[in-house]
Amino acid sequence: MDTIRYEFEARTIQKTYGEVEADVFNIFVDADAGAGDANYVRWRFTGTYKVITHPELHAILPQGTTWLKDPRPCSGWVVAPGPPFSGGTLVQMTTCTCCTCWVNQFESAPQVSDGQFISGNQYRNVKVGEVPINSATFSDKYRVEVEQMSLSKNSFEFFRLIRAQKEGVSSLFQPPFGEIKGNMSPVNSTAPVVGLFWATSVKTKYLFITPGEVPYLLTPIDIITDACTVFSNSSTEQPAFWQ
Protein backbone atom coordinates (compact mmCIF):
# COMPACT_ATOMS: atom_id res chain seq x y z
CA MET A 1 0.00 0.00 0.00
CA ASP A 2 1.17 3.49 -0.81
CA THR A 3 -1.38 5.63 1.00
CA ILE A 4 -4.55 5.55 3.07
CA ARG A 5 -6.86 8.54 2.98
CA TYR A 6 -10.32 9.49 4.18
CA GLU A 7 -13.12 11.60 2.76
CA PHE A 8 -16.09 13.00 4.65
CA GLU A 9 -19.57 12.05 3.43
CA ALA A 10 -22.78 13.55 4.83
CA ARG A 11 -25.54 10.96 5.22
CA THR A 12 -28.91 10.56 6.88
CA ILE A 13 -30.90 7.49 7.85
CA GLN A 14 -34.64 7.21 8.33
CA LYS A 15 -35.94 6.47 11.82
CA THR A 16 -39.53 6.17 13.00
CA TYR A 17 -39.30 9.71 14.34
CA GLY A 18 -37.65 11.20 11.24
CA GLU A 19 -34.26 11.54 9.57
CA VAL A 20 -31.09 11.52 11.66
CA GLU A 21 -27.50 12.23 10.71
CA ALA A 22 -25.33 9.22 9.91
CA ASP A 23 -22.17 10.84 8.53
CA VAL A 24 -19.07 8.79 7.79
CA PHE A 25 -15.47 9.03 6.70
CA ASN A 26 -14.97 6.79 3.66
CA ILE A 27 -11.57 5.08 3.70
CA PHE A 28 -9.67 4.67 0.41
CA VAL A 29 -6.29 3.15 -0.43
CA ASP A 30 -3.80 3.36 -3.26
CA ALA A 31 -1.46 0.42 -3.69
CA ASP A 32 0.93 -1.39 -5.99
CA ALA A 33 -0.81 -4.23 -7.84
CA GLY A 34 2.35 -6.31 -8.07
CA ALA A 35 3.83 -8.11 -11.04
CA GLY A 36 1.77 -10.28 -13.37
CA ASP A 37 -1.86 -10.31 -14.43
CA ALA A 38 -3.36 -12.55 -11.74
CA ASN A 39 -3.62 -10.13 -8.81
CA TYR A 40 -5.92 -11.55 -6.16
CA VAL A 41 -6.12 -9.15 -3.25
CA ARG A 42 -8.21 -8.87 -0.11
CA TRP A 43 -8.31 -5.68 1.94
CA ARG A 44 -9.12 -5.96 5.65
CA PHE A 45 -10.31 -2.92 7.58
CA THR A 46 -10.19 -2.56 11.37
CA GLY A 47 -11.12 0.57 13.30
CA THR A 48 -10.34 1.30 16.96
CA TYR A 49 -11.57 4.05 19.25
CA LYS A 50 -11.50 4.83 22.98
CA VAL A 51 -14.50 5.28 25.27
CA ILE A 52 -14.81 6.31 28.91
CA THR A 53 -17.85 5.37 30.98
CA HIS A 54 -18.96 5.95 34.58
CA PRO A 55 -20.09 2.66 36.15
CA GLU A 56 -19.85 4.25 39.59
CA LEU A 57 -23.00 6.22 38.71
CA HIS A 58 -25.08 3.14 37.97
CA ALA A 59 -28.41 3.16 39.83
CA ILE A 60 -31.50 1.00 40.11
CA LEU A 61 -35.17 1.80 40.62
CA PRO A 62 -36.89 -0.92 42.64
CA GLN A 63 -40.64 -0.98 42.20
CA GLY A 64 -42.37 1.65 44.29
CA THR A 65 -39.15 3.24 45.57
CA THR A 66 -36.73 6.01 44.63
CA TRP A 67 -33.50 5.63 42.69
CA LEU A 68 -30.84 3.76 44.63
CA LYS A 69 -27.10 4.01 43.98
CA ASP A 70 -25.79 0.72 42.60
CA PRO A 71 -22.20 1.15 41.38
CA ARG A 72 -20.82 -1.70 39.33
CA PRO A 73 -18.27 -3.74 41.34
CA CYS A 74 -15.59 -3.12 38.70
CA SER A 75 -15.97 0.66 39.22
CA GLY A 76 -14.07 0.51 42.51
CA TRP A 77 -16.82 2.46 44.29
CA VAL A 78 -19.19 1.26 47.04
CA VAL A 79 -22.25 2.71 48.73
CA ALA A 80 -21.85 3.83 52.34
CA PRO A 81 -24.63 5.02 54.62
CA GLY A 82 -25.73 8.57 53.93
CA PRO A 83 -28.40 11.09 54.91
CA PRO A 84 -32.02 9.91 54.84
CA PHE A 85 -33.50 9.57 51.36
CA SER A 86 -30.07 10.14 49.80
CA GLY A 87 -29.70 6.58 48.58
CA GLY A 88 -26.37 6.39 50.35
CA THR A 89 -22.99 7.98 49.72
CA LEU A 90 -20.50 6.83 47.10
CA VAL A 91 -17.03 5.99 48.42
CA GLN A 92 -14.12 5.01 46.18
CA MET A 93 -12.30 1.95 47.50
CA THR A 94 -10.03 1.07 44.58
CA THR A 95 -9.21 1.93 40.99
CA CYS A 96 -11.86 1.40 38.34
CA THR A 97 -11.10 -1.50 36.00
CA CYS A 98 -13.99 -1.04 33.57
CA CYS A 99 -14.15 2.71 32.97
CA THR A 100 -11.89 2.91 29.92
CA CYS A 101 -12.16 0.62 26.92
CA TRP A 102 -10.82 0.39 23.41
CA VAL A 103 -13.49 -0.68 20.94
CA ASN A 104 -12.77 -2.47 17.66
CA GLN A 105 -14.96 -2.11 14.61
CA PHE A 106 -14.60 -4.75 11.93
CA GLU A 107 -15.65 -4.87 8.30
CA SER A 108 -19.14 -6.21 7.61
CA ALA A 109 -17.97 -8.08 4.50
CA PRO A 110 -14.61 -8.98 2.94
CA GLN A 111 -13.27 -6.39 0.50
CA VAL A 112 -11.64 -7.95 -2.55
CA SER A 113 -10.00 -6.63 -5.73
CA ASP A 114 -9.11 -8.80 -8.72
CA GLY A 115 -7.81 -6.08 -11.00
CA GLN A 116 -10.86 -3.94 -11.63
CA PHE A 117 -9.20 -0.90 -10.02
CA ILE A 118 -5.80 -1.36 -11.62
CA SER A 119 -4.44 1.51 -13.71
CA GLY A 120 -0.82 1.36 -14.78
CA ASN A 121 -0.20 -1.57 -12.42
CA GLN A 122 -1.54 0.46 -9.50
CA TYR A 123 -4.69 0.18 -7.42
CA ARG A 124 -6.35 3.58 -7.17
CA ASN A 125 -9.25 4.79 -5.05
CA VAL A 126 -10.16 1.40 -3.61
CA LYS A 127 -12.79 1.89 -0.90
CA VAL A 128 -12.00 -0.46 1.98
CA GLY A 129 -14.21 0.74 4.83
CA GLU A 130 -16.26 3.41 6.56
CA VAL A 131 -15.80 5.20 9.87
CA PRO A 132 -19.08 6.26 11.54
CA ILE A 133 -18.96 9.78 12.93
CA ASN A 134 -20.58 10.23 16.33
CA SER A 135 -19.77 11.38 19.85
CA ALA A 136 -18.49 7.94 20.85
CA THR A 137 -16.19 7.12 17.94
CA PHE A 138 -14.59 10.58 18.14
CA SER A 139 -14.64 11.23 21.86
CA ASP A 140 -10.84 10.86 21.64
CA LYS A 141 -9.52 9.79 18.22
CA TYR A 142 -10.05 6.97 15.75
CA ARG A 143 -7.41 4.56 14.44
CA VAL A 144 -7.80 3.08 10.97
CA GLU A 145 -5.81 -0.04 10.06
CA VAL A 146 -5.84 -1.55 6.59
CA GLU A 147 -4.20 -4.81 5.57
CA GLN A 148 -3.46 -5.72 1.97
CA MET A 149 -3.36 -9.51 1.56
CA SER A 150 -2.22 -11.36 -1.55
CA LEU A 151 -4.37 -14.49 -1.98
CA SER A 152 -4.46 -17.64 -4.02
CA LYS A 153 -7.25 -17.86 -6.58
CA ASN A 154 -9.21 -20.37 -4.42
CA SER A 155 -9.00 -18.15 -1.35
CA PHE A 156 -9.99 -15.12 -3.40
CA GLU A 157 -13.09 -16.89 -4.80
CA PHE A 158 -14.10 -17.94 -1.29
CA PHE A 159 -14.02 -14.35 0.03
CA ARG A 160 -15.63 -13.01 -3.14
CA LEU A 161 -18.63 -15.32 -2.69
CA ILE A 162 -19.00 -14.35 0.96
CA ARG A 163 -19.00 -10.68 0.00
CA ALA A 164 -21.57 -11.23 -2.76
CA GLN A 165 -23.90 -13.10 -0.42
CA LYS A 166 -23.62 -10.50 2.36
CA GLU A 167 -24.29 -7.65 -0.03
CA GLY A 168 -27.26 -9.41 -1.64
CA VAL A 169 -28.92 -10.80 1.47
CA SER A 170 -31.21 -7.78 1.86
CA SER A 171 -32.19 -7.57 -1.80
CA LEU A 172 -35.47 -8.99 -3.11
CA PHE A 173 -33.72 -9.47 -6.44
CA GLN A 174 -30.70 -11.26 -5.04
CA PRO A 175 -29.05 -13.27 -7.83
CA PRO A 176 -28.19 -16.93 -7.19
CA PHE A 177 -24.66 -17.52 -5.94
CA GLY A 178 -22.68 -20.70 -5.89
CA GLU A 179 -22.38 -22.69 -2.70
CA ILE A 180 -19.47 -21.58 -0.56
CA LYS A 181 -17.09 -24.50 -0.30
CA GLY A 182 -14.01 -24.70 1.84
CA ASN A 183 -10.98 -26.97 1.84
CA MET A 184 -11.83 -28.99 4.95
CA SER A 185 -14.53 -31.52 5.90
CA PRO A 186 -15.67 -32.91 9.28
CA VAL A 187 -14.69 -36.45 10.26
CA ASN A 188 -17.09 -37.24 13.12
CA SER A 189 -19.84 -34.72 12.47
CA THR A 190 -22.40 -33.69 9.89
CA ALA A 191 -21.95 -30.00 10.73
CA PRO A 192 -20.78 -27.88 7.81
CA VAL A 193 -17.28 -26.43 8.00
CA VAL A 194 -15.57 -23.85 5.86
CA GLY A 195 -11.84 -24.38 5.99
CA LEU A 196 -8.50 -22.75 6.39
CA PHE A 197 -7.34 -19.91 4.18
CA TRP A 198 -4.22 -17.82 4.27
CA ALA A 199 -2.43 -15.00 2.52
CA THR A 200 0.95 -15.31 0.84
CA SER A 201 1.81 -11.73 1.78
CA VAL A 202 0.34 -9.15 4.15
CA LYS A 203 1.15 -5.44 4.20
CA THR A 204 -0.30 -3.12 6.85
CA LYS A 205 -0.77 0.63 7.11
CA TYR A 206 -2.62 2.76 9.63
CA LEU A 207 -3.56 6.34 10.41
CA PHE A 208 -5.34 8.28 13.16
CA ILE A 209 -8.30 10.57 12.53
CA THR A 210 -8.82 13.25 15.16
CA PRO A 211 -12.09 15.00 16.11
CA GLY A 212 -10.72 18.16 14.50
CA GLU A 213 -11.12 16.50 11.09
CA VAL A 214 -14.90 16.35 11.52
CA PRO A 215 -16.27 19.45 9.74
CA TYR A 216 -18.50 20.43 12.66
CA LEU A 217 -18.47 20.39 16.44
CA LEU A 218 -19.55 17.10 17.97
CA THR A 219 -21.61 17.05 21.15
CA PRO A 220 -19.92 15.39 24.16
CA ILE A 221 -20.59 11.69 24.59
CA ASP A 222 -23.54 10.88 26.84
CA ILE A 223 -22.68 9.76 30.35
CA ILE A 224 -22.88 5.96 30.30
CA THR A 225 -23.51 4.53 33.76
CA ASP A 226 -22.28 1.04 33.01
CA ALA A 227 -19.04 -0.82 32.41
CA CYS A 228 -17.34 0.19 29.17
CA THR A 229 -17.51 -3.44 28.05
CA VAL A 230 -21.15 -2.83 27.09
CA PHE A 231 -19.64 -1.76 23.76
CA SER A 232 -19.32 -4.69 21.36
CA ASN A 233 -15.77 -5.91 20.62
CA SER A 234 -14.33 -3.85 23.46
CA SER A 235 -11.42 -4.49 25.80
CA THR A 236 -10.13 -2.76 28.92
CA GLU A 237 -6.56 -3.55 27.86
CA GLN A 238 -4.90 -0.65 26.09
CA PRO A 239 -3.51 -1.71 22.68
CA ALA A 240 0.22 -1.36 22.19
CA PHE A 241 -0.34 0.98 19.25
CA TRP A 242 -2.42 3.50 21.23
CA GLN A 243 -0.53 6.62 22.30
Side-chain angles (χ1 to χ4, degrees):
M1 278 180 288
D2 297 326
T3 57
I4 311 175
R5 65 181 182 280
Y6 50 92
E7 295 181 2
F8 172 80
E9 180 184 351
R11 290 185 187 174
T12 59
I13 56 175
Q14 189 67 39
K15 297 287 189 178
T16 56
Y17 48 85
E19 286 189 343
V20 297
E21 292 183 349
D23 302 338
V24 299
F25 282 117
N26 291 312
I27 307 300
F28 299 92
V29 298
D30 295 337
D32 192 317
D37 298 326
N39 299 294
Y40 300 108
V41 175
R42 177 189 172 191
W43 315 90
R44 182 161 59 191
F45 167 88
T46 304
T48 305
Y49 63 95
K50 178 182 176 181
V51 293
I52 297 176
T53 63
H54 298 274
E56 75 279 6
L57 300 180
H58 185 260
I60 57 175
L61 183 64
Q63 187 174 5
T65 66
T66 58
W67 285 98
L68 299 177
K69 297 179 176 65
D70 182 45
R72 296 301 192 191
C74 59
S75 71
W77 292 72
V78 297
V79 179
F85 309 108
S86 68
T89 301
L90 287 175
V91 178
Q92 186 173 15
M93 304 298 293
T94 185
T95 302
C96 179
T97 59
C98 61
C99 292
T100 305
C101 279
W102 287 263
V103 185
N104 286 321
Q105 292 187 319
F106 302 107
E107 59 191 12
S108 59
Q111 308 291 325
V112 293
S113 296
D114 58 353
Q116 66 268 39
F117 293 99
I118 292 180
S119 175
N121 215 41
Q122 298 288 313
Y123 287 106
R124 289 290 178 260
N125 301 317
V126 182
K127 183 178 175 180
V128 295
E130 297 178 353
V131 176
I133 298 175
N134 54 58
S135 58
T137 54
F138 283 95
S139 62
D140 185 25
K141 56 187 174 183
Y142 193 101
R143 184 182 189 268
V144 171
E145 180 178 287
V146 180
E147 296 168 273
Q148 178 186 8
M149 297 179 283
S150 299
L151 305 178
S152 67
K153 184 176 181 179
N154 286 342
S155 296
F156 175 85
E157 288 299 323
F158 167 78
F159 288 117
R160 185 186 65 81
L161 281 173
I162 288 182
R163 177 175 176 80
Q165 289 193 354
K166 281 184 170 290
E167 289 183 338
V169 69
S170 60
S171 173
L172 294 175
F173 306 101
Q174 177 182 357
F177 299 110
E179 179 185 357
I180 296 178
K181 294 182 179 181
N183 57 0
M184 299 176 67
S185 58
V187 176
N188 298 316
S189 172
T190 58
V193 296
V194 176
L196 177 66
F197 298 88
W198 59 91
T200 58
S201 176
V202 180
K203 302 298 182 183
T204 304
K205 275 188 175 294
Y206 70 91
L207 59 80
F208 284 95
I209 307 175
T210 64
E213 298 302 310
V214 180
Y216 49 81
L217 187 63
L218 289 166
T219 58
I221 186 172
D222 293 336
I223 294 178
I224 300 172
T225 61
D226 210 332
C228 61
T229 49
V230 297
F231 287 82
S232 299
N233 303 313
S234 62
S235 172
T236 56
E237 183 176 350
Q238 178 173 324
F241 56 71
W242 198 268
Q243 299 176 354

